[in-house]
Amino acid sequence: MRFRVLGPVTVAPRTPTAAKVRVVLAVLLVRANETVSTESLIDELWDNSPPRTAGTTLQVYISQLRRILLEGDPAAGAHGRQLLTLPPGYCLQVAQDDLDLTRFEALHRAGKAAYERGDFATASSLLQEALGLWSGVALSGIPHGYTLSAAAVRLEELRMTALEQRLTADLRLGRHKELTGELMALTSEHPLRETLHAHLMVALFRSDRQSDALKTFARIRRSLVDELGIEPGPGLRHLHERVLRSDPNLLWREPAAVAAPSIAPVVWLPPSLPDFVGREESIAAALRAFPDRTGRAAAPILVLGGRAGVGKTTLAVELARRAADVFPHGRVFLQLRGPQGMALEPDEVIAQVLHRLEQAPSAEGDAAAPTSTAGSGSEPPADRLQRLTRGRRMLLILDDVASEEQVRPLLAAVPGVFVLMTTRRTLAGLDGARHLVLDVLKPKEAQQLLEEIAGSRITDDPESALEIARLCGYLPLGLRVAGAGLAARPHWTAAALAQRLDGEGAGLAELVAGDLDVRASLLVGYREADPAHQWAFRLLALAPLPSFALWGAAALLNDTLPRTERVVDQLLQSYLLEVRQSAREYPLRYGYHRLLRALALELLDGDDPITVTAAVERLCTACLAVARHADAMLTPGRVPYEARYGTVVSDSFENVAQLVGATPVHWFQEEGPGLVDAVRRAHAAGLWPLTWQLAECLSGYFDARADWPEWSQTHSLALDAARRERNALAEAAILRSLGDLAWQQQRVRQAAMHYEDARSLFLAARDYGGAARCVIGLGDVQLSEGDPRSAAKTYADALGQCAQAGDERGRADALRGLAVVELQCGRAEESLQTFAAFAEAAEQLGDRRWIQFAHRTRAWILERAVDWSDPREPWSPQAVEARPGIWVVGSFDG
């Protein structure tokens, strides 16, 4: 065992020393393979008085646990043991044999099942093995909050139940003499536990010690009366009467063989699909959760979850066929929805299972004569079902389960049957269930499925096949419908189908083949959501692609972050949204499956356009607020033009700084694609100020990443928006940024044209700082054209204009240009001095990129004693570029 909670909480090879870290570990272990919310962990650690930094401190504890797990097993993730961040908290994945608790529960269930089928020797052995896993009081050695206190009580009661069951099995095996001493010690330790005293009375009576058995009853009766003021229960009183009259039926007899229920093996499965492909990893994971050949299983229930159309039913049937030898008494499939997609009621579910069993097909597709159910007319259906399945190793597949309430009565009636469920929502309330979430196919598997269905037109055009698979979101149902549609239309090509499926809202109209309709399948999960979550599902489709953070969802829904998180979590539970985990330490991101997003946008078309536009405006406003803060961190001293002229949109969140964090570069890397999409949405909605303001905020990010295509696209939209708004200053700002882009792409003539146009607009508006920035750009153009003398004069003019306008960043930029000119003209001493002034200005601004550039360039100059007037030396215009971030000076990468 790697983890132990049935005694002191430990983990091999190293147990955390900090008590609170062990508390977190213990909570995650008692709820292993389940998601434990952050709130639950905080409550367990600090009860009702958590510190203000509780969330951050908890993250530190989680990081420490992850480090310990990796120290013990660097390949933990590959073995199914890892600590995952899953909304709304954390999940510790633990294999059954790695945790004493899960191993104990599995042995307990197997022992109970063996007892119920009359195999008392196996039951005793299994239960004794389970009890041997205990090394003391459960969860000892750590502070207990509500969760651990309740768990400790539950585990202790579970241990006593297993102990009493083992004692019962031993008594059925005639081991009463061997048990007498153990039972005397146990009754002394638990003086009020009636079951133990009853076992002791039976053992004594069977050992010809009738008087001692009566004394045992007298002792517990006195204890109950003295301490609780109650008499023993009816069971113990009845046993006392039987001992008094020396009832011969209390004596031990060799147990007769238990006859198996008179029910033929049942195989009732849908036809298999001949084109089943892939899923080997999911099949292996599912089969590990199935019982072994002796009937032992880690858990009695396996839940296959996933969005509509992902292939849950197909996989369940495939699993049933592969595991035929594990379930010798039958494999039964049951659809839990009626013809109109309505969920069956719990009593209907039991009735349908009874119908399957009592029809008793002897082979797949061959119905046998109905099994005799004599005497069952007045027998409750649940009791009849329990009688029919008792002692039988069967598999019951419940397809498309709507809720926990739908199946709980059935599960109570078939305790010994292994149940495989498929569902479109998370069934977190089922006790003792293992969960496996099914995802879409891998690209190659998707292509293979299309080839199986559509044949040569797919194999002859593999590029179009992969495109069709992508446009179907690799969803098996979508792929089947697309392949069937292609196969039924000889005049179509794979490329033509791919073209029909392309487009933001396209696809659903084409994915219909007979009674296979992807839209109808997806709508089932949507319609089962309540109206508030349906509205959220539709509206969040406006979120930027390819994924969005919680703050973007909050802006769209016009709600607080905590309430938005709860809404998003409900959509995740219904598989209407999915988590897009960041590769870095970054807040969770969310997104839609492509076809679900197409459905949401289609449904959104029926909503009030004014309301939809207002949501887009809230989203873009929030994007601007957060992007402006990140841009200010990325490019210190650069004041957005709209901030100067009173067109700033107020921040949408009070904690903008917290949303960005301390690493704006990483933030931009995560949010950049979504912000670009937000520019497009703002322009499409006619939100002109937001369009150009967002684009202007992104220019520094594009410059740092040399992301030229998106720089061009967003700023073309921004220029159009500024002109539509007739905002000359906005137009000037965007033109200057387009000049920077043209210069970066070495289109110097176009760059000069943009700078001149922008400068004219700035001067007309009396924005002398903005005009000076354009002059710096013109100096860069002159330097690139090999005219350092003209560039020197231009930079000097810009330096004076920036100083007059109070533009410190512009002044630093002009010093940078002058320093490079001096370097190219062979004036090394003057260049060193100007670079020093540039470094000082950069330090005052707090711009780390410029500071590093200045210091490293000065170091490069000092390291090389060269003839600066020699045109063959590496300071020539071809070797010296004029912008920090992508500069190359000789072999120095700036």
Side-chain angles (χ1 to χ4, degrees):
M1 293 295 169
R2 190 173 185 223
F3 302 98
R4 294 186 179 274
V5 295
L6 303 181
V9 177
T10 61
V11 55
R14 182 169 70 88
T15 302
T17 56
K20 288 193 179 297
V21 179
R22 281 184 284 132
V23 169
V24 174
L25 174 63
V27 174
L28 293 172
L29 286 174
V30 296
R31 294 184 59 185
N33 303 308
E34 299 178 19
T35 301
V36 183
S37 69
T38 301
E39 290 76 8
S40 296
L41 290 169
I42 290 174
D43 289 344
E44 188 69 20
L45 288 167
W46 293 287
D47 199 13
N48 294 322
S49 55
R52 293 180 60 187
T53 59
T56 303
T57 305
L58 176 59
Q59 290 176 353
V60 172
Y61 294 160
I62 293 293
S63 296
Q64 292 177 6
L65 279 179
R66 283 199 175 106
R67 192 160 50 248
I68 289 172
L69 294 178
L70 288 174
E71 287 175 3
D73 184 0
H79 298 157
R81 300 188 295 267
Q82 53 184 329
L83 180 51
L84 301 177
T85 301
L86 295 175
Y90 303 95
C91 173
L92 180 57
Q93 291 186 337
V94 180
Q96 175 186 312
D97 291 337
D98 283 347
L99 175 60
D100 56 0
L101 173 57
T102 54
R103 182 64 180 153
F104 170 80
E105 290 173 334
L107 288 168
H108 184 197
R109 283 192 297 270
K112 182 180 177 183
Y115 183 91
E116 289 175 349
R117 64 176 180 263
D119 187 355
F120 304 122
T122 300
S124 175
S125 174
L126 290 171
L127 292 169
Q128 184 58 42
E129 183 181 351
L131 293 166
L133 297 172
W134 286 71
S135 59
V137 177
L139 300 169
S140 56
I142 56 173
H144 285 191
Y146 174 80
T147 299
L148 291 182
S149 296
V153 172
R154 180 182 72 85
L155 292 176
E156 179 58 26
E157 184 60 30
L158 196 60
R159 183 182 75 87
M160 291 304 299
T161 300
L163 175 61
E164 290 171 349
Q165 290 170 343
R166 194 222 86 205
L167 293 168
T168 304
D170 285 345
L171 286 172
R172 296 294 294 266
L173 292 168
R175 298 172 180 171
H176 37 272
K177 292 185 178 180
E178 298 94 320
L179 290 175
T180 302
E182 179 183 2
L183 284 167
M184 285 182 173
L186 288 170
T187 54
S188 177
E189 184 180 352
H190 303 279
L192 302 180
R193 199 163 183 103
E194 295 188 27
T195 304
L196 292 176
H197 285 79
H199 286 335
L200 178 58
M201 289 173 66
V202 171
L204 290 169
F205 180 79
R206 291 178 178 176
S207 302
D208 298 325
R209 298 173 60 179
Q210 182 179 13
S211 60
D212 289 333
L214 294 172
K215 289 178 184 178
T216 299
F217 176 81
R219 186 166 58 252
I220 187 174
R221 179 182 181 278
R222 184 167 54 253
S223 298
L224 290 170
V225 170
D226 291 347
E227 295 192 29
L228 303 178
I230 61 172
E231 291 286 339
L236 197 60
R237 293 200 305 270
H238 181 58
L239 176 61
H240 177 238
E241 293 171 2
R242 295 178 68 187
V243 172
L244 280 173
R245 65 173 186 267
S246 300
D247 187 348
N249 290 325
L250 276 180
L251 297 173
W252 181 77
R253 293 183 178 85
E254 187 75 32
V258 178
S262 58
I263 178 172
V266 181
V267 180
W268 202 305
L269 298 174
S272 61
L273 292 175
D275 51 20
F276 183 87
V277 298
R279 300 296 194 194
E280 294 306 320
E281 293 179 5
S282 298
I283 290 173
L287 291 178
R288 284 196 297 269
F290 272 37
D292 57 23
R293 294 178 186 274
T294 67
R296 297 187 190 181
I301 304 168
L302 175 62
V303 179
L304 279 181
R307 64 177 64 88
V310 81
K312 303 180 294 295
T313 303
T314 302
L315 179 60
V317 174
E318 181 68 17
L319 289 169
R321 298 187 184 282
R322 295 197 185 194
D325 58 337
V326 179
F327 303 104
H329 301 122
R331 293 159 289 148
V332 176
F333 178 93
L334 183 66
Q335 167 60 247
L336 265 61
R337 293 184 186 271
Q340 304 301 320
M342 297 295 293
L344 299 181
E345 294 297 325
D347 56 345
E348 293 179 302
V349 175
I350 291 178
Q352 291 283 0
V353 175
L354 274 173
H355 175 73
R356 289 280 193 267
L357 294 179
E358 291 173 345
Q359 290 299 313
S362 58
E364 298 176 23
D366 298 326
T371 303
S372 171
T373 56
S376 64
S378 59
E379 188 178 15
D383 292 351
R384 188 158 84 251
L385 183 59
Q386 188 171 31
R387 175 173 57 79
L388 288 173
T389 58
R390 184 180 297 119
R392 292 288 172 170
R393 283 167 49 195
M394 300 180 65
L395 170 66
L396 180 59
I397 301 175
L398 303 178
D399 188 45
D400 210 355
V401 176
S403 66
E404 295 91 337
E405 293 76 11
Q406 185 186 27
V407 295
R408 277 205 176 98
L410 173 66
L411 296 177
V414 290
V417 172
F418 186 80
V419 180
L420 173 60
M421 300 182 191
T422 73
T423 181
R424 309 181 200 213
R425 59 181 297 272
T426 304
L427 303 177
L430 289 178
D431 294 331
R434 286 286 182 92
H435 296 266
L436 178 62
V437 178
L438 200 60
D439 206 348
V440 295
L441 293 173
K442 297 175 182 177
K444 288 298 183 183
E445 293 174 342
Q447 183 181 9
Q448 183 182 352
L449 179 57
L450 283 171
E451 290 174 354
E452 292 284 344
I453 298 171
S456 61
R457 274 180 293 165
I458 290 295
T459 56
D460 293 345
D461 190 355
E463 186 175 337
S464 293
L466 284 173
E467 181 64 4
I468 292 171
R470 184 189 70 81
L471 293 170
C472 289
Y474 308 107
L475 189 73
L477 178 60
L479 294 165
R480 290 187 179 281
V481 175
L486 189 61
R489 296 174 176 87
H491 55 286
W492 278 15
T493 64
L497 177 58
Q499 187 175 4
R500 286 173 172 269
L501 294 172
D502 204 1
E504 184 176 62
L508 291 178
E510 303 296 333
L511 295 178
V512 181
D515 61 348
L516 290 178
D517 186 343
V518 174
R519 178 193 285 107
S521 180
L522 298 178
L523 274 171
V524 173
Y526 167 78
R527 287 171 177 160
E528 289 185 342
D530 61 48
H533 292 123
Q534 289 180 352
W535 167 240
F537 170 75
R538 300 195 302 272
L539 201 61
L540 290 178
L542 297 171
L545 294 173
S547 64
F548 58 91
L550 192 63
W551 60 266
L556 279 169
L557 300 180
N558 199 23
D559 210 339
T560 63
L561 288 171
R563 284 201 293 265
T564 300
E565 186 173 22
R566 288 193 287 272
V567 171
V568 169
D569 185 59
Q570 283 298 314
L571 294 175
L572 290 171
Q573 299 293 320
S574 300
Y575 299 107
L576 294 173
L577 280 183
E578 58 191 22
V579 174
R580 304 280 176 82
Q581 182 69 51
S582 169
R584 294 184 178 85
E585 295 260 344
Y586 196 77
L588 288 177
R589 304 184 65 77
Y590 308 93
Y592 285 81
H593 182 272
R594 186 179 188 276
L595 297 181
L596 276 169
R597 186 170 181 272
L599 174 67
L601 290 172
E602 180 184 289
L603 295 169
L604 193 63
D605 282 342
D607 289 315
D608 177 17
I610 297 177
T611 303
V612 173
T613 302
V616 173
E617 186 171 8
R618 289 195 304 271
L619 172 68
C620 294
T621 300
C623 288
L624 178 61
V626 190
R628 182 176 294 139
H629 180 84
D631 182 45
M633 295 177 67
L634 188 66
T635 316
R638 192 181 80 83
V639 181
Y641 289 103
E642 71 274 11
R644 296 185 185 181
Y645 296 98
T647 58
V648 179
V649 180
S650 60
D651 289 351
S652 299
F653 303 100
E654 294 180 358
N655 58 343
V656 166
Q658 187 176 3
L659 292 175
V660 174
T663 54
V665 173
H666 291 169
W667 185 87
F668 267 120
Q669 287 174 349
E670 295 289 345
E671 300 289 353
L675 295 173
V676 170
D677 191 59
V679 173
R680 299 191 185 103
R681 292 194 178 280
H683 187 272
L687 302 171
W688 312 129
L690 283 170
T691 302
W692 67 261
Q693 289 178 43
L694 271 170
E696 207 276 333
C697 267
L698 286 169
S699 59
Y701 164 66
F702 293 142
D703 191 5
R705 283 177 53 90
D707 200 343
W708 297 338
E710 291 190 339
W711 191 348
S712 175
Q713 292 167 16
T714 57
H715 281 58
S716 295
L717 294 174
L719 186 61
D720 177 69
R723 287 171 174 167
R724 287 174 181 264
E725 192 192 2
R726 297 183 180 179
N727 188 326
L729 278 169
E731 183 179 354
I734 298 301
L735 281 170
R736 191 188 75 83
S737 183
L738 286 171
D740 291 344
L741 171 61
W743 183 89
Q744 294 278 20
Q745 294 178 307
Q746 298 181 8
R747 295 182 287 113
V748 291
R749 291 187 182 276
Q750 190 172 5
M753 182 180 67
H754 285 321
Y755 288 139
E756 287 288 4
D757 291 345
R759 180 170 173 269
S760 297
L761 290 170
F762 279 128
L763 288 175
R766 297 183 179 180
D767 182 353
Y768 302 113
R773 295 286 186 91
C774 296
V775 173
I776 295 171
L778 290 169
D780 292 335
V781 169
Q782 292 165 347
L783 194 61
S784 297
E785 291 181 321
D787 189 1
R789 298 188 186 281
S790 297
K793 183 179 183 307
T794 302
Y795 287 134
D797 290 343
L799 186 61
Q801 293 172 25
C802 290
Q804 186 176 1
D807 185 351
E808 291 300 320
R809 185 168 187 84
R811 176 178 170 274
D813 204 6
L815 286 170
R816 179 268 311 164
L818 282 172
V820 173
V821 167
E822 290 164 350
L823 181 59
Q824 286 200 7
C825 291
R827 299 195 298 271
E829 290 298 328
E830 291 90 333
S831 179
L832 285 172
Q833 293 175 4
T834 308
F835 266 119
F838 168 59
E840 182 180 355
E843 287 173 352
Q844 290 176 355
L845 290 170
D847 192 316
R848 290 191 304 165
R849 289 193 304 151
W850 276 8
I851 293 169
Q852 291 171 0
F853 167 72
H855 289 314
R856 285 189 291 186
T857 306
R858 292 184 77 245
W860 181 86
I861 296 171
L862 291 170
E863 287 174 3
R864 287 160 174 79
V866 298
D867 182 359
W868 298 102
S869 61
D870 188 345
R872 294 171 297 178
E873 291 295 345
W875 52 263
S876 62
Q878 290 76 20
V880 181
E881 295 294 344
R883 289 283 173 87
I886 58 170
W887 290 35
V888 178
V889 184
S891 60
F892 165 65
D893 183 358

